[in-house]
Structures are given as C-alpha cells and as structure tokens.
Amino acid sequence: MSEDVDLEELKQKTQVGNRNQESAKQSESKSFREDILAVLSEIENGDRQKTVSFWDGDTAALISALESNPEIQQDVGSRLQEELGREINEEAVDRSEVLRLAIRAGLQRAAPDVVETWLDAKAESARRL
C-alpha cells in the first residue's frame, strides 16, 4: 500500500463523527425530548409529582446551614442567578430556589445539549397548553 492510501485510511478511521453517528444522536435527542414532553404532560395532568428528592447528608448539611444564614443563602442564590444569566432577584431566595438554581447551573455547565433539549421540550409543552 502506498503512503497516501494509508494516510487516507487512517484519516477515515480517526475522523470524529460520521453521518450514522450524527443520525443516531439526533434520534436519541428526539426520543429524550419526547420523554421530557411525556413527563411534563403527566405533571400537568397531576399524574406525576413535581417533587424531586435525593439522599445526601453532606448536601443536606450545606442547605440547612444556608437556611440558618439567610444572608449567605441570598448571596449564593444571587450568584447562581448570575451564573444562569438571570436577572438578580432581590427577594429572599429560599431553599428550593437555591437547589433548583444549583441543579440547573450544574447541568448547564456539564451538559448544555441536554439543557437545550429540555428547554425546547418545555417551550413545546407550553405551546400545547
């Protein structure tokens, strides 16, 4: 084999993404979006709870300490609002809002594509109502 053929073959093998992979990602994203829409509908119809919970003693300690220190909790809430590009709300930020904002900020930073799909599904759900 010539050097040119070997280089072309290597290029083909190491090329990131191809049409099949892109199509699979789009299909997966569409399925995920449809799952979000289905759950949003279940929540709207009262068939599923809006509550989210998880077991983590360290996080529970942090959130409890924030509640005991409202000025720090407000500061954390303001920082999270800023991180998400939201207008800073000067009203007291409660425990639920801190947790919502923290989860959203973490997801936005770690998985912006997932957040984009989620927000798209939320918008579609709102249009359907």
Side-chain angles (χ1 to χ4, degrees), residues 7-25:
L7 287 175
E8 186 59 36
E9 185 179 336
L10 180 60
K11 184 178 174 182
Q12 293 278 338
K13 288 180 180 177
T14 60
Q15 196 172 31
V16 177
N18 63 32
R19 289 183 186 163
N20 289 338
Q21 288 173 327
E22 188 61 34
S23 178
K25 283 183 183 180

Side-chain angles (χ1 to χ4, degrees), residues 31-117:
S31 175
F32 179 60
R33 184 178 177 279
E34 293 300 320
D35 288 346
I36 294 170
L37 283 167
V39 173
L40 286 169
S41 178
E42 289 173 7
I43 290 170
E44 183 65 32
N45 294 331
D47 298 330
R48 188 180 287 244
Q49 291 186 10
K50 292 181 182 182
T51 304
V52 174
S53 62
F54 60 94
W55 187 269
D56 185 329
D58 293 339
T59 302
L62 172 62
I63 298 303
S64 292
L66 286 173
E67 283 184 301
S68 297
N69 295 273
E71 67 288 345
I72 297 173
Q73 181 172 273
Q74 179 63 44
D75 180 56
V76 169
S78 295
R79 290 186 205 187
L80 287 165
Q81 290 169 345
E82 185 176 338
E83 173 73 23
L84 291 167
R86 295 182 177 188
E87 189 173 314
I88 304 299
N89 183 350
E90 296 299 328
E91 292 183 30
V93 175
D94 65 7
R95 164 193 194 113
S96 291
E97 183 67 4
V98 167
L99 289 167
R100 278 191 297 272
L101 292 168
I103 289 169
R104 289 176 182 174
L107 285 170
Q108 182 62 47
R109 184 173 291 246
D113 55 324
V114 169
V115 172
E116 183 179 336
T117 301

